[in-house]
Amino acid sequence: MSRARLSPHGSLARQFGGAQDEAWHGPLRAELGDDLFAAANELANLGAQGGADLRNALLALAAACLHGGRSGSTRLPIGNPAHGPLCETFAALRVPSLVAARAFELLAADQSARGDAQPLLGARGEFKPLILDGDALCIQWMAFQEDDLGQRLRARYAEALAPFEEKKVALALHDLLARAPMRAGRAITLSDEQQRAVIAAAHQPLTVISGGPGTGKTSIVVSILRLLARLGTGPESIALAAPTGKAANRMEESIVAYLSGIGDPAAEDSGLLAVRPAPTTLHRLLGYSQRRNRFAHHAQNPLPHRMVIVDEASMIDLAMMDRLVRAVGAGAHLVLLGDAEQLPSVEAGAVLRDLVPLSSVAPARPWDALVGVAQSSEVLQAAPRKVARDSGSDDLRARGAVRLTKSYRMDESDPAGRNIFLVSQALRAGIVPPIVAAKPVSAHLREHSRAADVSFSGVELLSGAPQERDAFLHRWFRERIACSPQFAAQLGRIWPLEGNAIEASALDALSRLDAQYQSARLLCLTRTAARPSGTGRVNALLSGLLREFVGGVGDDADSMLAGAPMMMTKNDYQLGLFNGDQGLVLWSQRADESAPALRLLVRIKGTYVAHELDSLGAQLTPCWAMTVHKAQGSEFDHVALILPTDDESGGEADQLACREVVYTAMTRARRSVTVLGSATSLTQAVERSLTRWSALGDPGYWRAEATARD
C-alpha cells in the first residue's frame, strides 16, 4: 500500500518546519523519510515534559533504531560514545555531539536515574518503546517479535525426532535412488549431503538446508516428496511455498521436469506427477486477506499440513518468518531451503543466515549409516542402530542445518562455468581474484576497456569510459535479445488466444521467444532513473532500442510496444499476479475479436495467460534490467552487473555495493558474467560485507545448555 507524504501544513511539519527547528532535524528527516521520521518524532514527544534535551536524545535514539531496522538490523549494539554501531549511526544521521552525549548518558544510567525517560526506556521483556537488551538497543515490537520467533525455533529444535524405521527408510531411499531422472542423457544422482538433507527433512521438526546456486536444492525438494510418498505420506499432507509468485511457479516447473525425467517411475512417482502439492506464495499459504490485512493461519489456527517446505528462504524477513513458524502446527515438519550467503531479505532480519551455524560439525543422526550406501543392497540387511541425537555440537542450530557444498549448475568441466564458480567462491570469501588482460584461467577475471572486446564467456570486467557502457548495452540488445533471425517476425506476429490462454499451436514458438528474453538479464543495485547505473535509466535506454528496432512505432516514448518485457511491482490477488512476476507485451487476438490488441502474456503453469494492459496500469515496469534483490532465485545463461560509476558515490548505491550483492548477482549466471565498473569499485564492493545485527545471529543464543529466554 502506498502512503501519502506528509502535508506541509500538518502538525509534524509545523513542529519541525519553523524558526525553532534545530538544524539537524531537516537532514534527519531527509535521511529517514517521512514515515520513519514521524515514528521517531512520536516516541520523542512522549518525553517532551523532560525538556528539549531529553526530547532530542530520545529522537536520536529512536531514529537510530529505525534507521538500523530499515537497513535490516533488528537491534543496534551500543558500544561507547567514541566507537561502535550506535556512534556510527549517530554520525550518519548527523546527530549533534551534545545530543549524542545525552543519549549515551540515558543508556548508561540505571532506571532510577533516567527521570522522565524511565517510562520509555526499559529492559528486555518490558513493554516500553525502547528496549535495552544487554549491550544492544532495539524497538520493543521488533525485540518481541525476534524473541518470540527464537523461542518457537528453540522449541522445535528440542522436539523429538520422528520415529525412524531404518529398514523401511533404507528400502524407500534405495528405490528412489535406483530410479534417478535423466537430464541431457545423464542420471541425476543424489550426493551424500543431499541424501542427508532428504532423510533429515522427513524426520526432524526443523531442517534448514543452505546451498549456493546449482547445489541441487530442487532435487532435494522432489526427493523429499518421493521419499515421503514411499513412507506413506500423501501429497495432500505437504505444502510447498516460496516468498514470490515467480519462485513458486519456477518451483512447480522444476518439480514437473524432474518427475517427468524418471524413465522407470514407481507408482509413487507417477502418483506425484498426477497429483502433487501445488507451490504457492507464503502469503497465499498463510491465507492473507488484503481487505482485512490479516492472515488466516496462525498459532490458534495452524496449517493442516504435516510437512511445510519453503524455497528461497533467504528472502524471508523476520516478521514473515515469525508468522510462518507460528502457523506450522505442533508435530508438523518445517523445511527451509536457500542460500545463506546471498542477500538477506529486503526488510529487517537475516533469519536463514542466522539459522546456519558457521561450524560444519553436526550431531550424529540415526540415519547417518544409510547415507552414501543406500544404493547397495547390503544396507537393507543392516540391523537398527541407535545414535545419540545431541553428539557433535552444543549449538542447537546444528541439529537442523545441512550445508550443500557442490555446485551442479556451473559445470566445472566447462571452462566458462568453472571460471564463474571459482570467482564467485573467492568473492564470497571477500577476495577479488587477479584481474588480467589475457584469457582468464581458473579464478582470474578478464578486464576490457572496450565493449566490443567482451566475449560473453566466464567472468569479465568492462572498466572503460562511460560511453563504453552504452556501447555494451547496444551490444546486449543486439546479441542477447534480438539475436534470433525470427525476432522481428515474432514481435509483429498476432498470437492466437483461446479464452485468456495462448492456443496450444503457438505455445512452442512463444516459449522459445520468452526463453530468449529469460536467458540474459541486466542487474543493477538501485531502481532510480537519476543515476546511470539504476534500472530506471537502463530500462529507458533498452526501451528506446526496442522502439528503434520496430521503426519508432507508438505515439510517445511511454507507450507500450510489442516485445517489451514487463514486471509486476505489486500483488494483484484478483488477477493472480504478484510482485516480481514477468511477462511480454505482444499482439494477441481471440477468434471472436475483430482486431488484435497489445496484452501482457505471462507464463503460468506451463502455458501463457493474457492480461489486459488497461487493468494492470501502474503495476507494471520494464524489466530489461532489474535489481539484484529482484533477481534472487533466478538463473540465467548471461548476466551483466552494472556497478555505480565513480561519480555516483554516496547514498543508497554505496550502501548496496557490497559483497553479498556481487556474489548474488554473479551466481545467477551459468555461462557468463560481465561486471560493468572499475576494478576499484568492484574491490570496494567485495571488501564491504553487509552487516545485520540481530539476537538470532548470536551463537550464544543457541547454546544447547542455555535455558530458553523468557
Side-chain angles (χ1 to χ4, degrees), residues 71 94 111 124 150 152 157 263 283 293 338 419 447 483 599:
S71 301
R94 304 182 196 178
Q111 286 278 21
R124 198 184 134 270
R152 292 177 186 277
Y157 286 129
H283 279 75
N293 193 28
N419 182 227
E447 185 175 16
C483 53
R599 296 182 174 95

Side-chain angles (χ1 to χ4, degrees), residues 126-342:
E126 292 186 315
F127 193 73
K128 295 182 179 181
L130 292 174
I131 299 298
L132 268 173
D133 188 5
D135 186 46
L137 181 70
C138 40
I139 299 294
Q140 189 276 335
W141 70 264
M142 197 171 290
F144 173 83
Q145 200 165 55
E146 188 169 39
D147 211 37
D148 180 76
L149 174 60
Q151 289 190 46
R152 292 177 186 277
L153 290 172
R154 287 183 65 95
R156 285 198 166 270
Y157 286 129
E159 287 181 23
L161 299 177
F164 176 65
E165 301 177 56
E166 185 173 42
K167 190 162 186 177
K168 188 174 181 180
V169 174
L171 284 166
L173 185 62
H174 178 78
D175 185 61
L176 72 87
L177 290 173
R179 302 174 190 271
M182 303 295 292
R183 182 181 299 164
R186 297 174 58 185
I188 304 176
T189 58
L190 293 181
S191 66
D192 288 2
E193 60 190 12
Q194 290 173 321
Q195 292 179 42
R196 184 172 290 106
V198 169
I199 309 175
H203 293 87
Q204 294 181 161
L206 174 63
T207 304
V208 181
I209 302 168
S210 174
T215 49
K217 294 187 288 292
T218 297
S219 296
I220 289 172
V221 171
V222 185
S223 297
I224 292 171
L225 299 179
R226 297 177 70 198
L227 180 65
L228 290 176
R230 286 161 169 79
L231 296 178
T233 299
E236 71 283 352
S237 300
I238 304 169
L240 302 177
T244 67
K246 180 182 178 182
N249 290 337
R250 188 173 57 252
M251 191 180 188
E252 178 161 30
E253 290 178 355
S254 298
I255 291 172
V256 171
Y258 191 103
L259 291 172
S260 300
I262 301 173
D264 180 27
E268 294 86 354
D269 300 323
S270 299
L272 279 173
L273 189 57
V275 181
R276 59 189 177 277
T280 184
T281 64
L282 281 175
H283 279 75
R284 282 202 162 184
L285 175 67
L286 301 183
Y288 177 69
S289 167
Q290 189 176 32
R291 182 178 61 84
R292 302 173 63 195
N293 193 28
R294 294 180 61 183
F295 290 84
H297 292 289
H298 39 71
Q300 284 70 48
N301 182 33
L303 293 164
H305 309 92
R306 294 175 57 188
M307 168 79 72
V308 178
I309 303 174
V310 183
D311 198 11
E312 300 297 345
S314 64
M315 300 169 66
I316 306 176
D317 58 50
L318 171 68
M320 180 54 75
M321 188 68 80
D322 188 43
R323 293 188 183 102
L324 172 63
V325 174
R326 282 169 173 261
V328 177
H333 291 187
L334 174 62
V335 181
L336 303 173
L337 300 101
D339 185 352
E341 306 294 339
Q342 276 193 62

Side-chain angles (χ1 to χ4, degrees), residues 12 34 37 41 51 80 149 151 289 331 334 347 429 510 615 662 679 683 701:
L12 182 61
D34 287 344
F37 181 76
N41 176 70
N80 60 63
L149 174 60
Q151 289 190 46
S289 167
L334 174 62
E347 302 297 332
L510 183 53
S615 67
V662 177
T683 300
Y701 187 97

Side-chain angles (χ1 to χ4, degrees), residues 633-650:
S634 299
E635 53 184 273
F636 312 98
D637 287 332
H638 305 280
V639 163
L641 172 63
I642 305 176
L643 294 177
T645 58
D646 292 339
D647 59 357
E648 290 184 81
S649 60

